[in-house]
Amino acid sequence: MQKGFTGRGTMIKHIRKSFAQSKECHHGGRFREAEASLGCEPLDFSANINPLGWPPIQEVLLSEMQKLGHYPDNKYLELRKAAASFVGVEPDNIVPGNGSSEVIRLFVETTLVKEDTAIIPFPTFGEYENQSRLFGAATRKTMLGPFGQVNLDDSVLEDAKALFLCNPNNPTGCLLPKNQIEELARRCERHETFLLVDEAFIELSDPDQSVARQAPEMQFLVVMRSLTKSFGVPGLRLGFGVTNGALADVMNRARIPWSISSIASAAGVELLKHHEHLEKARSLIRTELAWLTDQLERLGLKPAKSSVNFILMDIEPAGLSSGELARRMMDKGILIRDCRSFGLGEHYIRVAVRNRDENEQLVAALQSILCIE
Ligand SMILES: Cc1ncc(COP(=O)(O)O)c(C=O)c1O
């Protein structure tokens, strides 16, 4: 059988080197793949989204479907207004994105060129490193402190072009208080180092710790939010960045035209009205986080203290590797996140916090694999 082109010719030499050398970035939430192999829907603890799912937005979706014959408004005025009032800034400070992933990409494309250095905490979400490397930047890792603190010397900040910070952090679940981030942001201003604060999960934790409102007043700060996580709609693809007007203007011009569908944009305007949905979710998460953490400890595992809707845990006491445990859980129809791709070695997994019934199923499956009565 004739094979397609495999990439061994000369073409590869002619494309952007950093792209040719890129590696796949691993993520959780491979629901469809698992569904195809299991022949039924898995219970997904590998992606961390609002355990209540999404608020009622069907009417908006259906009405917007009648308008598919038109392009979306490429300025996304309604969406930017809704996002601005949600976080308490002006629409000119908002950069909408096709998922907050697009905001990471735009931030990197806007700020980093070949041989710049980006500082990336360890461990954290893989896309900061992935995207920085795609654009040729060197990445420098910095170990997070035991409470998630970022300890950086002035000389390191001075040499870097950008610093990424995930608050609360994925996968550790640590939430840094607002005053620590503000202090870091002020240091970044002094050193003219761009700071991206990824607040994808903050609505499911403690939104009072957000620094989004400070971003318009600073030159080098970009804060981002993900509607995916907050409103339980990963399939919709919607997020936004918050920054000063000048930088927002540049990022909005650099964005691929119409990158957000009209359906996602209209749904976003509606979703952002549902504050009560977020309050309910936070209350559920608080209760379930405490319950699940306790249950995991009773199984002899070592869950890290988390402030959000997921738990990182050390499973070494179970005597199984993370890959093996993930495989066995998958056989039971449950997806968990094997954390090897975070660089954490063989003994860490991360699980989402879901509702009580689902959390009980998780605990029961773990119990039967670990043979605990
Ligand atoms: C910390 C963090 N930031 C951003 C994202 C991107 O999410 P989305 O593009 O769906 O908004 C994710 C997805 O897993 C994440 O974990």
Side-chain angles (χ1 to χ4, degrees):
M1 197 170 67
Q2 197 185 351
K3 272 200 169 169
F5 176 63
T6 58
R8 277 192 296 270
T10 55
M11 173 282 293
I12 209 82
K13 290 190 216 148
H14 294 280
I15 65 174
R16 198 194 278 255
K17 208 168 170 185
S18 55
F19 276 45
Q21 291 170 344
S22 65
K23 299 197 182 82
E24 190 188 343
C25 188
H26 292 272
H27 298 292
R30 292 159 81 162
F31 181 91
R32 287 165 205 260
E33 213 176 297
E35 186 183 25
S37 91
L38 288 167
C40 62
E41 286 195 358
L43 189 50
D44 189 3
F45 279 85
S46 71
N48 312 314
I49 58 166
N50 187 325
L52 293 178
W54 64 88
I57 52 165
Q58 284 82 338
E59 254 179 53
V60 173
L61 298 179
L62 289 174
S63 131
E64 204 52 43
M65 276 169 69
Q66 310 306 314
K67 301 181 198 156
L68 288 182
H70 303 283
Y71 275 94
D73 159 26
N74 192 36
K75 290 197 166 36
Y76 295 104
L77 284 179
E78 290 307 308
L79 177 60
R80 282 168 49 206
K81 264 197 225 161
S85 91
F86 185 82
V87 291
V89 297
E90 295 299 320
D92 286 351
N93 300 120
I94 301 291
V95 184
N98 185 304
S100 60
S101 305
E102 189 182 22
V103 181
I104 302 177
R105 165 65 75 103
L106 270 174
F107 172 81
V108 166
E109 275 182 318
T110 309
T111 59
L112 294 176
V113 293
K114 197 162 178 277
E115 279 151 26
D116 280 341
T117 299
I119 308 175
I120 315 233
F122 175 84
T124 198
F125 183 50
E127 285 296 341
Y128 315 139
E129 179 170 7
N130 186 40
Q131 300 291 335
S132 301
R133 291 217 172 152
L134 277 173
F135 290 89
T139 53
R140 175 174 179 158
K141 291 230 163 94
T142 179
M143 283 301 283
L144 289 169
F147 304 105
Q149 330 83 287
V150 185
N151 302 314
L152 287 170
D153 290 342
D154 280 344
S155 61
V156 175
L157 273 185
E158 178 67 29
D159 290 345
K161 186 72 168 296
L163 164 63
F164 292 84
L165 186 67
C166 188
N167 198 43
N169 188 41
N170 176 7
T172 56
C174 275
L175 174 73
L176 289 179
K178 182 180 179 175
N179 62 352
Q180 277 189 34
I181 313 267
E182 285 171 339
E183 161 66 15
L184 186 64
R186 281 193 291 271
R187 289 180 65 207
C188 285
E189 294 283 302
R190 284 200 293 277
H191 294 288
E192 303 188 357
T193 303
F194 287 99
L195 171 62
L196 180 73
V197 181
D198 179 349
E199 296 184 349
F201 293 104
I202 209 152
E203 290 296 335
L204 302 176
S205 177
D206 177 5
D208 288 345
Q209 304 314 319
S210 169
V211 291
R213 277 194 193 197
Q214 279 64 35
E217 313 304 326
M218 306 195 96
Q219 289 195 68
F220 292 88
L221 176 63
V222 178
V223 178
M224 58 175 241
R225 293 291 182 87
S226 164
L227 275 78
T228 294
K229 314 288 183 193
S230 322
F231 293 102
V233 286
L236 194 66
R237 311 306 307 129
L238 197 58
F240 60 88
V242 186
T243 187
N244 64 73
L247 185 53
D249 202 30
V250 173
M251 289 172 77
N252 275 316
R253 285 202 303 272
R255 185 168 31 74
I256 290 175
W258 314 292
S259 67
I260 301 136
S261 76
S262 45
I263 294 186
S265 162
V269 173
E270 183 59 28
L271 286 168
L272 289 163
K273 295 176 188 161
H274 286 269
H275 296 271
E276 82 301 336
H277 189 73
L278 299 174
E279 276 162 28
K280 259 171 84 182
R282 283 192 288 273
S283 157
L284 174 74
I285 291 164
R286 265 194 303 279
T287 309
E288 290 307 308
L289 177 61
W291 184 84
L292 190 53
T293 304
D294 179 54
Q295 294 293 313
L296 295 169
E297 276 168 357
R298 284 166 193 245
L299 292 177
L301 305 171
K302 292 188 190 156
K305 188 173 168 0
S306 169
S307 300
V308 69
N309 63 323
F310 51 85
I311 305 172
L312 176 71
M313 63 183 134
D314 179 354
I315 59 158
E316 191 161 17
L320 281 180
S321 71
S322 53
E324 184 56 25
L325 183 58
R327 262 190 305 283
R328 294 205 203 168
M329 290 293 279
M330 164 80 170
D331 290 343
K332 292 182 177 291
I334 296 181
L335 302 181
I336 58 174
R337 179 72 154 89
D338 171 0
C339 290
R340 276 177 299 176
S341 63
F342 284 102
L344 285 174
E346 292 281 317
H347 297 291
Y348 285 88
I349 62 161
R350 191 197 63 204
V351 292
V353 174
R354 303 188 50 135
N355 66 37
R356 179 61 59 90
D357 174 50
E358 294 161 336
N359 295 336
E360 279 175 354
Q361 292 182 54
L362 174 82
V363 171
L366 285 169
Q367 209 160 15
S368 86
I369 290 171
L370 305 177
C371 303
I372 297 164
E373 293 311 312

